[in-house]
Every structure is written in structure tokens, then in C-alpha cells.
Amino acid sequence: MCDESVVPSFQPTDEWREDWPYDVSTSVQVLASVTGPAATRAVQSFLKPLTHNPDADVPDGVSLYYQGGFTVESTPPAAGGAWQILLTSAGEDGFDSLESAADDLTAALRATPGEVQLAWHELPATQVD
């Protein structure tokens, strides 16, 4: 990996952890923005072991994957932008599943040769049916 890579671990804030308004019907999400010359290769290495759902009802350009207790929506960069990787989980183990997914993403990006940058964005909890 190049010295210019910046791939921080996901460190959830207390406020994000406390935002659990719907009990077990709460979906927690974090968005990862991945950039850099090796971003595509790094994201593909993260997605490769996941199960792809090509029939998912997602917007054009978005791909849905899942594994265990989490889902991943990936959107490739447009015009030199960032890969957008939305990690989502719900239920009693929602936080644990999401943090495990974030750890997997971080590990895949760090293991990929070349320059990669990662930025995390906590999203508000939502209610699931």
C-alpha cells in the first residue's frame, strides 16, 4: 500500500450508538466514501466474497450485496468522484453486524496495493418494517 493511503477504522460516536428509536425495528447505517487510484480494485476486493443480489429493487447504478446480518449498497464513482458504500444492519445485533462489516471494508482497503482514501459518514437510524 502506498504511503498516501488513508484508511481509518470506523469509530462510531456515542450519539450514533444512542440513536436507536425503534428498538429492534431500527436500521442503522454508515456510508463509506472511497477514493484514490486503487479505489475500484479495493472496493471489488471487499465485495467479492459477498453475495450479490442482481434482482434487488435499488436505483440504477447501485448494486446490492449481503452477508450475515448486513447489506451493502455500492455505487461506483461518477466523473472522478468517490465510490459510495452504504452498510446497513437492523435488529438486536445491528450495531455489531454493521461494525463487523465496517471492519471487513477497512481490512480489504488496507490490503489492496495502491493509494486509497476512506471517509466514514454516520447516518440517522430509520425504522424498518
Side-chain angles (χ1 to χ4, degrees), residues 34-68:
V34 183
T35 58
T40 297
R41 203 171 50 247
V43 169
Q44 289 171 346
S45 72
F46 166 68
L47 296 174
K48 187 176 181 176
L50 305 179
T51 301
H52 182 230
N53 182 352
D55 300 321
D57 185 20
V58 293
D60 285 343
V62 176
S63 296
L64 181 73
Y65 297 82
Y66 62 90
Q67 180 176 354

Side-chain angles (χ1 to χ4, degrees), residues 17-43:
R17 283 192 157 282
E18 292 167 3
D19 186 20
W20 193 257
Y22 309 108
D23 197 43
V24 295
S25 296
T26 298
S27 173
V28 291
Q29 300 178 317
V30 65
L31 179 66
S33 296
V34 183
T35 58
T40 297
R41 203 171 50 247
V43 169

Side-chain angles (χ1 to χ4, degrees), residues 4 10 14 25 31 33-35 42 51 53 56 61 64 70 72 75-76 79 89-90 104 106 109 117 119 126:
E4 305 212 7
F10 175 58
D14 290 340
S25 296
L31 179 66
S33 296
V34 183
T35 58
T51 301
N53 182 352
L64 181 73
F70 66 88
V72 177
T75 307
S89 189
D104 291 349
T106 301
L109 298 182
Q117 291 85 37
T126 59

